[in-house]
Amino acid sequence: MRGSEKPQRALRRQSEVPSSPLVPDAVEAEIRRHDWDAIECGCGRSAGHLVGAVRDAAEGHPSAFRALEGHVFFGEDLKPPAPAACGVLMAVWSARPPRQATREALLWTLLALLCTVDDGGTHEAGLHGQCAAFIRTGVDGYRRELAVAPGSGAAAYAEGILKILGARASGQGVSGG
């Protein structure tokens, strides 16, 4: 197989899972940006089967976020599809899901990804560093969640994320984290 055939084959496989009118275009683009079949899933199979799960999450199904456990992360360990899944989750977060239950499940998942062991070395980010870089892009939204829904589960998860990232709950900037 020639090199140019491989990306085309991957796009055909990914297109087998139909897109949803409930998934914003930016999220759909992030899903399609990754060659899920080339990534080994945490369950040992190809991560291609996660496309449906991340689309379900993007549609706002709270249980879909929990379904990523064992595939994207397990306990304190991240699995190879974590950066790709994290990119999709952050695209969902940027789209500002309207349902409280969806935001809470999404923030729980992001916090679970941040609470894993840092597997990076001195010269590369590792899975944890890649996920943290994606998650760091949502700081303003986490602060907004704290302001809009204080005392909620979503606010508690947002506060935990901000704490791990070394960001203040209010104010500007994010310190190293």
Side-chain angles (χ1 to χ4, degrees):
M1 174 171 22
R2 292 189 310 256
S4 63
E5 293 174 5
K6 186 176 179 182
Q8 291 171 345
R9 191 180 72 186
L11 286 174
R12 279 195 302 272
R13 279 192 302 253
Q14 287 180 11
S15 65
E16 291 172 10
V17 177
S19 60
S20 166
L22 300 175
V23 177
D25 290 342
V27 176
E28 191 63 45
E30 184 63 27
I31 292 170
R32 292 188 182 279
R33 190 172 77 81
H34 303 282
D35 183 359
W36 296 90
D37 288 322
I39 303 169
E40 183 181 349
C41 184
C43 70
R45 301 183 307 179
S46 154
H49 73 282
L50 293 178
V51 173
V54 295
R55 268 209 188 97
D56 287 347
E59 287 181 344
H61 303 290
S63 61
F65 295 98
R66 299 272 182 171
L68 297 174
E69 189 169 8
H71 301 275
V72 174
F73 63 98
F74 187 72
E76 294 182 352
D77 297 321
L78 289 175
K79 303 301 178 186
C86 196
V88 173
L89 296 176
M90 290 310 300
V92 171
W93 181 249
S94 294
R96 295 188 179 179
R99 292 179 53 221
Q100 178 72 20
T102 302
R103 290 193 314 275
E104 186 170 316
L106 174 54
L107 290 167
W108 172 85
T109 307
L110 295 174
L111 184 58
L113 293 170
L114 278 177
C115 287
T116 58
V117 175
D118 189 347
D119 62 335
T122 57
H123 299 292
E124 67 177 41
L127 298 174
H128 186 273
Q130 292 174 58
C131 289
F134 275 121
I135 294 168
R136 190 176 304 281
T137 66
V139 166
D140 290 338
Y142 312 138
R143 289 182 181 134
R144 186 173 38 255
E145 191 68 35
L146 277 169
V148 171
S152 69
Y157 295 137
E159 185 175 25
I161 291 168
L162 289 169
K163 224 176 241 186
I164 290 171
L165 292 176
R168 297 183 304 270
S170 62
Q172 301 294 325
V174 177
S175 63

